[in-house]
Amino acid sequence: MTGPSPWWGWGSGGERAPLSPHAIAMLVELVGEATPTPAVDIDDVALPDPAPIPDAIVDAVGAANVLTGKRDRVRHAAGMSYPDLVRLRTGRLDDAPDAVVVPPDREAVVALLEACAREAVAVVPFGGGTSVVGGVDPGRESFERLVSVDLSSLRSVSVDDLSLTARLGPGLTGADAERELAAHGLTLGHFPQSFERATIGGFAATRSAGQASSGYGRFDALVTSACLDAPAGELRTRETPHTAAGPALREVIVGSEGTLGVITEVDVRVRRAPETRRYEGWIAPEFASGVDIIRRLAQQDALPDVIRVSDRVETRVSLGLAGARGVRRRAFDAYLDLRRRSDGCIVIAGWEGEGEAVARRRALGHRVLRHGGAASLGAGPGRAWYRGRYRGPHLRDELLDLGYMVETLETAHTWSRLEGLYAAVRDAIESALASAGMAGIVFCHLSHAYRDGASLYYTFLAPSRPGYEIDGWRAVKRAACEAIVATGGTITHHHGIGRDHAPYMRDEVTGLGVEALRAVKERLDPTGIMNPGKLLPG
């Protein structure tokens, strides 16, 4: 059974499948019952009246490209973090852009930024609106007027088949880009969970990582050059595979999160589309042994393109949400008992590419997996994960409808300090949930591996307390961030900084580093109109 996706959620305009009764019963067993909370209609969301838009902005992009309707403003007033979705569902938006501006081309972007700088109008670049760290919030700071700049019209594609590079417009979604490249027999290979909605510009602006980044590379590693149009002018890097010319200004653009200007062109490395895909499931005796297997794969240059291991709680939740029961579940449990892995941790491994190369890499990976004590579950779990690889955000919509708080956060550290980081963050979240009076659970997986370390991706889930949703989330988020900082991990591996992580940037790059970033912003954005309140603290 399917139903329409909510206007406020991830799959707005599409279809979604509700959780099965078996999955709901498992949630109740784990964390208790929740009170379903229906969302308000989009037309019932209360918004402040918009400030008038200067004629210079209309002249820059054309009257038809300046949208001031309530629905347009609501849809560009928040991202996809848990607080964002709570505000949308309850109709309690604190603010919204005064207008949504949709520049038809790069020239219009340049004219728009010049007009906004002259008229003191704040600018929030908007791609897919998928930020989970407050990256597209309409933060006015000292500005009385603010516009959301929707980049969906910038969708150009130019392929250099000989160099295996492509120039992509920032408004293309990940799915759009893959369809365009597939027509040339190519792939970008960047598949974050936000793939359906997030855009090329957003990938670049947030230094995104995808589910197959162990094989294809993070997005910042795929970018060869980029163009940033700032209020002060154009910043463009060369289309060369490498240069030794000083600090890489490409790195100033990639990860700038809309605070310096608008990314209007992105040149990326692409690959031939894989002829073979092999995805499998394995079961490790415990999380620590699964982590060690992935470390060995990374340090022996044997990483699959996709590799992840879930801890015991996530393994249990994943199997429960998958709905396996009856004869099929009993047979699966019997197999795990036979292999002495009934309390084990699931590993997903996936290889893509030319057939012979996949076979060779897969054989090497199998040796490392077996040597580490993992038992094969066959192709079924791998194929199931591949089919549902973008389901997480849709599932969160379902859980919010049922009355559950669910949120994710991520970090990374070196192999020698990963175990301590894993325990510290898990314990901090559990303690914060208990202190807030919420009977929640925490689970985690490792999903991006390097020779020197890896990332950890946490999810916490609890019945929400009506009226306390955002305060409860804030308490848990703060405890987790403080544990990350205290343990020396990064405040973000791939979600970005936005507004939520900005207070921790001094811990990330030191106070002098923050001042250096401020100096860059002051040069490129002298009037401070670009995405106020994001990336930099204070």
Side-chain angles (χ1 to χ4, degrees):
M1 177 181 177
T2 62
S5 291
W7 68 266
W8 51 267
W10 190 265
S12 180
E15 295 289 320
R16 69 179 191 182
L19 287 173
S20 68
H22 172 79
I24 294 173
M26 181 204 69
L27 286 174
V28 172
E29 177 187 347
L30 287 173
V31 298
E33 292 189 12
T35 303
T37 53
V40 302
D41 188 88
I42 188 171
D43 295 320
D44 293 330
V45 176
L47 292 180
D49 293 333
I53 300 301
D55 291 341
I57 289 178
V58 178
D59 294 340
V61 300
N65 298 311
V66 179
L67 312 177
T68 58
K70 181 176 181 179
R71 291 192 174 198
D72 293 310
R73 295 177 64 214
V74 169
R75 293 187 188 281
H76 290 76
M80 288 287 159
S81 68
Y82 177 73
D84 286 336
L85 297 183
V86 169
R87 293 184 185 109
L88 289 169
R89 286 173 49 82
T90 59
R92 299 201 306 259
L93 287 174
D94 299 323
D95 203 351
D98 297 309
V100 177
V101 183
V102 190
D105 50 38
R106 182 187 164 221
E107 290 71 22
V109 172
V110 173
L112 171 65
L113 295 184
E114 291 174 351
C116 288
R118 285 196 310 271
E119 301 287 344
V121 176
V123 173
V124 179
F126 195 97
T130 63
S131 173
V132 293
V133 291
V136 295
D137 291 356
R140 293 175 185 264
E141 303 299 307
S142 61
F143 294 93
E144 295 181 0
R145 296 171 294 187
L146 179 144
V147 295
S148 176
V149 180
D150 188 314
L151 300 167
S152 57
S153 293
L154 278 63
R155 301 169 53 83
S156 60
V157 178
S158 176
V159 173
D160 181 342
D161 192 68
L162 185 62
S163 303
L164 285 182
T165 61
R167 174 167 292 177
L168 304 176
L172 290 162
T173 66
D176 292 334
E178 282 296 326
R179 281 191 292 269
E180 294 285 346
L181 293 171
H184 297 266
L186 301 171
T187 182
L188 179 59
H190 191 68
F191 305 111
Q193 199 171 65
S194 60
F195 174 76
E196 298 166 313
R197 288 186 52 165
T199 61
I200 295 297
F203 294 157
T206 59
R207 298 177 63 87
S208 172
Q211 295 167 338
S213 288
S214 293
Y216 290 91
R218 299 182 318 272
F219 197 77
D220 56 295
L222 300 177
V223 175
T224 63
S225 64
C227 178
L228 177 101
D229 283 296
E234 173 191 290
L235 179 61
R236 182 186 291 274
T237 64
R238 285 191 175 275
E239 299 172 59
T240 59
H242 178 69
T243 175
L249 290 178
R250 179 183 61 196
E251 296 301 305
V252 172
I253 298 173
V254 178
S256 57
E257 299 195 21
T259 62
L260 305 179
V262 175
I263 297 172
T264 49
E265 292 176 357
V266 185
D267 294 319
V268 294
R269 298 178 176 93
V270 295
R271 300 190 190 189
R272 301 294 177 199
E275 65 179 42
T276 299
R277 288 188 175 93
R278 296 294 298 269
Y279 281 78
E280 304 170 350
W282 293 70
I283 194 85
E286 56 193 10
F287 188 55
S289 60
V291 169
D292 195 59
I293 288 169
I294 297 178
R295 178 188 64 80
R296 292 176 183 274
L297 287 166
Q299 294 179 346
Q300 294 179 30
D301 295 323
L303 276 173
D305 298 296
V306 170
I307 186 69
R308 56 192 288 146
V309 57
S310 298
D311 67 8
R312 283 173 172 162
V313 179
E314 181 167 289
T315 297
R316 179 184 178 190
V317 171
S318 297
L319 292 175
L321 293 180
R325 55 191 184 277
V327 174
R328 184 160 57 112
R329 182 59 187 267
R330 287 196 296 273
F332 180 75
D333 290 343
Y335 175 79
L336 294 183
D337 287 339
L338 181 66
R339 302 303 298 269
R340 299 178 183 177
R341 298 290 182 271
S342 58
D343 202 22
C345 295
I346 195 163
V347 178
I348 298 296
W351 294 264
E352 299 188 359
E354 184 271 330
E356 184 177 343
V358 166
R360 184 172 59 251
R361 295 171 57 220
R362 184 166 162 258
L364 176 57
H366 282 192
R367 286 199 293 273
V368 177
L369 283 156
R370 290 194 177 102
H371 185 266
S376 175
L377 300 177
R383 287 197 296 262
W385 177 86
Y386 186 84
R387 288 193 301 269
R389 63 197 302 191
Y390 309 125
R391 187 182 177 225
H394 300 276
L395 177 60
R396 185 173 59 166
D397 288 353
E398 292 289 334
L399 291 170
L400 264 68
D401 269 347
L402 292 170
Y404 289 96
M405 175 181 73
V406 57
E407 183 64 299
T408 62
L409 57 91
E410 32 67 66
T411 181
H413 218 325
T414 58
W415 293 113
S416 59
R417 300 182 68 180
L418 202 66
E419 182 178 357
L421 177 66
Y422 165 70
V425 178
R426 179 200 59 204
D427 293 349
I429 295 174
E430 289 178 344
S431 178
L433 287 169
S435 296
M438 293 184 282
I441 56 170
V442 185
F443 44 95
C444 179
H445 66 256
L446 183 157
S447 57
H448 299 84
Y450 310 88
R451 291 181 65 84
D452 55 342
S455 72
L456 296 172
Y457 191 97
Y458 294 85
T459 302
F460 54 92
L461 172 69
S464 63
R465 291 168 52 188
Y468 185 70
E469 298 98 334
I470 294 177
D471 287 341
W473 168 87
R474 187 176 289 114
V476 176
K477 178 79 172 182
R478 183 187 304 116
C481 289
E482 290 175 356
I484 288 170
V485 168
T487 318
T490 177
I491 198 62
T492 177
H493 175 264
H494 57 268
H495 282 172
I497 297 296
R499 183 181 299 279
D500 297 342
H501 292 157
Y504 304 96
M505 273 295 278
R506 286 191 178 88
D507 298 290
E508 187 78 15
V509 301
T510 75
L512 183 60
V514 168
E515 294 310 309
L517 292 174
R518 286 194 196 282
V520 173
K521 179 173 175 63
E522 288 169 5
R523 178 62 187 89
L524 295 177
D525 178 25
T527 55
I529 62 171
M530 297 305 307
N531 215 7
K534 318 304 176 6
L535 188 62
L536 297 173

